[in-house]
Amino acid sequence: MYILGIETSCDETGVAIYHSSKGLIHHCLYSQIAMHNEYGGIVPELASRDHIRKLIPLIDECLQQSHILKSDIQGIAYTAGPGLIGALLVGAATAKSLAWSWNIPAIGVHHMEGHLLAPMLEEHTPAFPFVALLVSGGHTLLVEVKNIGHYQLLGESLDDAAGEAFDKAAKMLGLAYPGGPLLAKLAEQGQAKRFKFPRPMTDRPGLDFSFSGLKTFTMNTLNNTDKTEQDKADVALAFQQATAETLAIKCKRALKQTGLKRLVVAGGVSANTQIRKTLTEMTNKERAEIFFPRPEFCTDNGAMIAYAGCQRLLAQQQESLSINARPRWPIDELYTH
Ligand code: KG4
Ligand code: ZN
């Protein structure tokens, strides 16, 4: 069964063709970053309009490069939430319209479920159950994954998401939006141990996160320097190290609490090399296994949506042709089968 996947929840238009037994056939991605860059962040209305412009040509391109025909597609998966409402509605309306005209089913996918299942696109996939750390621009979640669709929230950020903290710290360092990857690049020039940043909420029990204090600490530390390139690189490294260690402490706790020995790490921030390394060292010590998507599938893409939708369609899940999107959608509210 060939599935067309559509992702339009934020600033990336993602399209993919996934086959239930052959795996991922092809994926195409168009990033709006250059357009939002001059505003220092995402402008939702511009995002929606750009998705409208780019989505259909991207679907055509993906079909062509996959060497399959429209008539080969047997289902459509689209991101139904959470995300920017206008951007989501572009994907939902396109998916439902194509489904109606091609006479095939369309299914809404939870964006974070897409991230969570992204490691399933790799060769070495995790078996269920596992603990998942989802770190993106909008969410930081620790989830106990019993099976596809069975998600229990263990902890979440009480304020900024990890990616949001990266982006805000990067802005303070004079870097462009989205600053996460640029901060990581700058940190490569940093000297370790010059600054010691706090590891928020690790001194008390629980699995929730808080990153807004790290942001203030970054600002204060930077203001106490001459703001030379070396100062900025040292601050970037200290911030990144504090974030990586905080995530590792909480993941270790989540593995202990659940008794599980498998950790999945996904979402945009999981592309960060230092975070991957710190978490891998922790799981090695704990004799647990760790799974990441390839860096390309850590950030938003259509392939993860096609995969998640395919599993739901295989489980006979159905949806009417009415067009719906949910800007807010807790992952533990996902219905199961
Ligand atoms: O998952 P994602 O593409 O979109 C959302 O669902 O939010 O995540 C985007 C976030 C941004 O905050 C971006 O700065 C961050 O992931 N990010 C990174 C890296 N690559 C992307 N943060 C740190 N290091 C990276 N290498
Ligand atoms: Zn995302």
Side-chain angles (χ1 to χ4, degrees):
M1 178 164 75
Y2 283 105
I3 302 293
L4 169 69
I6 296 176
E7 157 61 35
T8 62
S9 69
C10 193
D11 59 349
E12 248 110 30
T13 316
V15 173
I17 308 288
Y18 182 85
H19 188 271
S20 48
S21 51
K22 295 181 197 160
L24 182 65
I25 307 297
H26 192 63
H27 87 111
C28 293
L29 191 74
Y30 174 79
S31 171
Q32 304 178 350
I33 284 175
M35 180 183 75
H36 296 294
N37 217 329
E38 64 177 294
Y39 303 96
I42 296 165
V43 185
E45 184 57 24
L46 292 183
S48 315
R49 289 174 192 216
D50 214 41
H51 284 306
I52 292 173
R53 271 193 293 270
K54 298 289 167 19
L55 184 53
I56 297 286
L58 210 61
I59 293 173
D60 278 338
E61 186 187 323
C62 201
L63 279 170
Q64 260 180 23
Q65 293 175 354
S66 301
H67 305 292
I68 63 161
L69 302 169
K70 281 177 207 164
S71 52
D72 294 327
I73 305 283
Q74 286 169 287
I76 304 180
Y78 66 96
T79 305
L84 302 171
I85 186 65
L88 289 168
L89 282 171
V90 176
T94 307
K96 290 288 168 83
S97 308
L98 288 176
W100 175 76
S101 70
W102 294 348
N103 199 23
I104 55 173
I107 195 93
V109 170
H110 191 290
H111 181 78
M112 298 312 287
E113 182 181 47
H115 276 304
L116 193 156
L117 297 175
M120 301 300 185
L121 294 163
E122 304 306 328
E123 210 156 286
H124 182 47
T125 56
F128 296 102
F130 54 78
V131 169
L133 170 70
L134 304 178
V135 271
S136 72
H139 297 86
T140 305
L141 307 174
L142 262 171
V143 184
E144 182 174 348
V145 179
K146 296 182 176 140
N147 212 326
I148 292 188
H150 295 245
Y151 308 125
Q152 193 178 340
L153 191 64
L154 300 171
E156 62 187 326
S157 179
L158 304 177
D159 41 58
D160 293 351
E164 196 179 351
F166 259 95
D167 294 340
K168 288 178 177 169
K171 202 169 193 169
M172 293 171 200
L173 294 164
L175 302 170
Y177 182 86
L182 300 174
L183 187 148
K185 188 104 196 75
L186 180 63
E188 286 171 17
Q189 311 302 321
Q191 301 162 13
K193 298 192 183 140
R194 174 165 167 209
F195 300 115
K196 177 80 181 153
F197 277 43
R199 274 67 177 140
M201 295 189 58
T202 52
D203 56 353
R204 63 187 102 157
L207 294 170
D208 287 332
F209 304 88
S210 165
F211 291 106
S212 74
L214 266 186
K215 209 172 53 186
T216 318
F217 202 89
T218 304
M219 179 63 102
N220 292 341
T221 309
L222 192 65
N223 285 341
N224 282 328
T225 70
D226 297 330
K227 298 188 185 166
T228 63
E229 278 313 298
Q230 190 59 55
D231 292 333
K232 287 183 190 170
D234 296 348
V235 169
L237 180 58
F239 169 87
Q240 186 173 267
Q241 210 157 17
T243 308
E245 279 177 28
T246 304
L247 294 174
I249 292 167
K250 290 293 162 91
C251 286
K252 180 175 165 181
R253 224 178 253 178
L255 291 172
K256 283 236 160 77
Q257 185 177 309
T258 56
L260 295 173
K261 287 283 180 194
R262 278 182 294 267
L263 178 67
V264 158
V265 189
V269 179
S270 67
N272 184 283
T273 311
Q274 188 173 15
I275 289 177
R276 290 169 94 97
K277 187 166 168 268
T278 309
L279 288 168
T280 304
E281 281 165 8
M282 181 279 287
T283 48
N284 284 347
K285 267 192 207 145
E286 295 302 305
R287 295 180 186 282
E289 279 184 288
I290 191 159
F291 301 84
F292 301 97
R294 72 193 83 162
E296 188 185 4
F297 292 156
C298 288
T299 44
D300 292 349
N301 63 84
M304 66 186 195
I305 302 302
Y307 177 84
C310 183
Q311 304 316 308
R312 290 191 171 265
L313 288 171
L314 287 174
Q316 312 291 328
Q317 208 163 308
Q318 288 179 355
E319 218 176 79
S320 77
L321 279 174
S322 67
I323 296 166
N324 297 309
R326 288 186 65 175
R328 288 183 178 276
W329 189 2
I331 196 167
D332 51 359
E333 267 183 28
L334 263 176
Y335 43 95
T336 54
H337 40 258

